[in-house]
Amino acid sequence: PTHNVDNSNLLYNAWLAGFIEADGSFDIRVSQTSGGSSKNRVSARLRLEQRKIYPNTGNSYFDIMTSIATALGVSLNLSTHNGNVEYFLISASSTKSRSIIVNYFTQFPLFSSKRLNYLDWLACHYLIVSNNHITPEGRAQALKLKSGMNSKRTFFKWDHLESLKSY
């Protein structure tokens, strides 16, 4: 059966967590310039990317991607791959958007290995919020967190899956 579109606020149910499990990514960026400390940066970002049009149906992802961008307090942007395939891009790295993400995942946690990347991202978020990311120790901690994320992850801890028993 076909159901009506759910137009409820995305931040009040677990749907967005599932979408991010499938298509989201967390990353930490640590940049350093050799000319001085004013351009040295640490950032934590959630990124979501979807084709503009689903090729099998011709349907656009515009409405849902706009809803997600609005919920996270960011802009919906475009990117192009392979010279001609356009994608919607959501990039959330501001303090405001990161705080929304933290509050959301406190209520609706991730369960895959993406959760482990989120926890490293979260540690970096707290470094930034406390302004410790600007210290040499904080930058070193951000680099250490970054070095074990995503495809570089070698340590996996699955204790959080015990909480699934309560569902």
Side-chain angles (χ1 to χ4, degrees), residues 24 32 44 48 57-59 115 122 144 153 157 160 163-164:
Q32 186 168 349
L48 276 170
T57 63
N59 291 335
R115 174 186 173 86
L122 180 63
K144 181 178 179 187
R153 180 168 299 286
K157 185 175 180 182
H160 64 281
S163 67
L164 287 175

Side-chain angles (χ1 to χ4, degrees), residues 29-126:
R29 292 174 32 172
V30 180
S31 60
Q32 186 168 349
T33 59
S34 58
S37 63
S38 66
K39 301 238 178 179
N40 294 341
R41 294 197 174 118
V42 173
S43 66
R45 174 178 67 170
L46 166 65
R47 183 177 162 96
L48 276 170
E49 205 168 27
Q50 279 292 318
R51 284 179 182 245
K52 282 181 71 175
I53 305 294
Y54 183 61
N56 293 347
T57 63
N59 291 335
S60 172
Y61 285 105
F62 178 79
D63 290 340
I64 191 59
M65 293 299 281
T66 298
S67 295
I68 295 169
T70 300
L72 298 178
V74 299
S75 300
L76 181 62
N77 296 300
L78 294 175
S79 67
T80 303
H81 295 258
N82 301 324
N84 61 355
V85 180
E86 289 189 316
Y87 288 75
F88 290 116
L89 172 64
I90 294 171
S91 181
S93 60
S94 70
T95 301
K96 178 185 172 190
S97 63
R98 288 192 328 269
S99 294
I100 292 168
I101 293 163
V102 170
N103 290 335
Y104 178 77
F105 285 125
T106 299
Q107 188 171 6
F108 302 106
L110 299 166
F111 292 106
S112 73
S113 63
K114 199 154 294 181
R115 174 186 173 86
L116 304 175
N117 293 323
Y118 166 72
L119 293 175
D120 289 340
W121 176 94
L122 180 63
C124 186
H125 163 74
Y126 286 129

Side-chain angles (χ1 to χ4, degrees), residues 28 30-32 42 127 138-148:
I28 295 170
V30 180
S31 60
Q32 186 168 349
V42 173
L127 276 174
R139 290 178 61 75
Q141 179 65 24
L143 281 168
K144 181 178 179 187
L145 291 165
K146 175 187 168 118
S147 72

Side-chain angles (χ1 to χ4, degrees), residues 6-17 71 100 103-105 107-108:
D6 180 356
N7 290 315
S8 62
N9 187 320
L10 294 175
L11 299 178
Y12 296 135
N13 62 60
W15 181 88
L16 182 57
I100 292 168
N103 290 335
Y104 178 77
F105 285 125
Q107 188 171 6
F108 302 106

